[in-house]
C-alpha cells in the first residue's frame, strides 16, 4: 500500500526553521521514522504549488493508496490546492506539526480541512506517524 507524503513550501527547511515551533527533525528524519512503521512511502517536498497539484493529480492513476499532506502556508489560502484535493479518489490526511489554532489568526483557518478525511495538528513530527496510521485505517475501511 503506497502512501504519498506531500509537503508544501518551507517544509524543506525543517531542522533549522523556527525549531521552537516545528522541532529539530528534518523532513528526511521524519520520513525515515515513517519508513520504520510503513515500508512503502513516497515523499515529495516542494516549494511549488503547481508541483504539489500535479503530483496529487498523478495519484489518480499511479497506484497511490492514500495521501498525507502538509501544505504549509498554502493551507490557509490555496483554493487551487483545495480543488486538487477535492478531485482525488484516495483518502487524504492533512497534517500540521504546530498547533495552528494557537498561533497567529491567519493560521486558524484551513481551506483544505473541509475536503480531507482527517486533520492532525500540534503533535510535531509524531503527527506524521499518526497521519500514516490514519491513512492506513482509511484505506482498509474503504476496502471493507
Ligand atoms: C504548518 C503550519 C502552517 O501555518 C505553516 O505555514 C507551515 C507549517 C505546520 O506544519 O505546522 O509552513 O503547516
Amino acid at each position: 500500500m503506497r502512501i504519498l507524503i506531500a509537503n508544501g513550501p518551507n517544509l524543506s527547511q525543517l531542522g533549522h526553521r523556527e525549531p521552537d515551533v516545528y522541532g529539530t527533525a528534518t523532513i528526511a528524519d521524519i520520513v525515515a521514522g515513517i519508513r520504520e512503521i510503513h515500508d512503502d512511502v513516497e515523499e515529495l517536498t516542494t516549494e511549488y504549488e503547481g508541483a504539489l497539484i500535479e503530483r496529487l493529480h498523478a495519484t489518480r492513476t499511479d497506484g497511490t493508496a492514500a495521501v498525507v499532506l502538509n501544505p504549509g502556508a498554502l493551507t490557509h489560502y490555496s483554493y487551487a490546492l483545495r480543488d486538487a484535493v477535492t478531485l482525488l479518489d484516495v483518502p487524504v490526511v492533512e497534517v500540521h506539526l504546530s498547533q495552528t489554532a494557537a498561533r497567529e489568526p491567519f493560521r486558524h483557518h484551513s481551506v483544505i480541512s473541509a475536503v480531507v478525511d482527517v486533520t492532525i495538528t500540534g503533535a510535531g513530527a509524531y503527527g506524521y506517524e499518526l497521519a500514516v496510521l490514519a491513512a492506513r485505517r482509511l484505506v482498509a475501511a474503504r476496502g471493507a
Side-chain angles (χ1 to χ4, degrees):
M1 180 196 302
R2 181 176 315 132
I3 295 179
L4 170 67
I5 298 179
N7 297 297
N10 300 307
L11 290 158
S12 64
Q13 302 305 301
L14 289 179
H16 64 270
R17 175 190 181 194
E18 299 178 80
D20 49 322
V21 176
Y22 297 114
T24 53
T26 64
I27 275 295
D29 295 335
I30 291 171
V31 171
I34 296 298
R35 290 199 164 116
E36 288 176 14
I37 59 166
H38 187 90
D39 61 9
D40 196 0
V41 172
E42 183 190 331
E43 178 226 341
L44 170 69
T45 300
T46 177
E47 314 307 330
Y48 300 102
E49 182 181 29
L52 212 48
I53 290 169
E54 282 184 350
R55 186 66 194 83
L56 293 178
H57 289 173
T59 66
R60 298 189 64 240
T61 53
D62 72 359
T64 299
V67 177
V68 169
L69 176 64
N70 185 345
L74 296 171
T75 303
H76 312 299
Y77 65 88
S78 178
Y79 297 111
L81 183 60
R82 176 191 170 116
D83 285 350
V85 171
T86 301
L87 64 82
L88 297 187
D89 301 321
V90 298
V92 181
V93 181
E94 176 186 2
V95 62
H96 300 284
L97 294 142
S98 65
Q99 182 63 304
T100 47
R103 299 182 63 198
E104 303 96 314
F106 80 87
R107 296 186 205 276
H108 293 183
H109 183 63
S110 166
V111 301
I112 306 298
S113 291
V115 295
V116 300
D117 297 279
V118 173
T119 300
I120 295 168
T121 60
Y126 182 51
Y128 280 82
E129 286 186 30
L130 296 173
V132 168
L133 293 174
R136 288 166 58 156
R137 284 293 180 119
L138 288 163
V139 173
R142 286 193 187 192

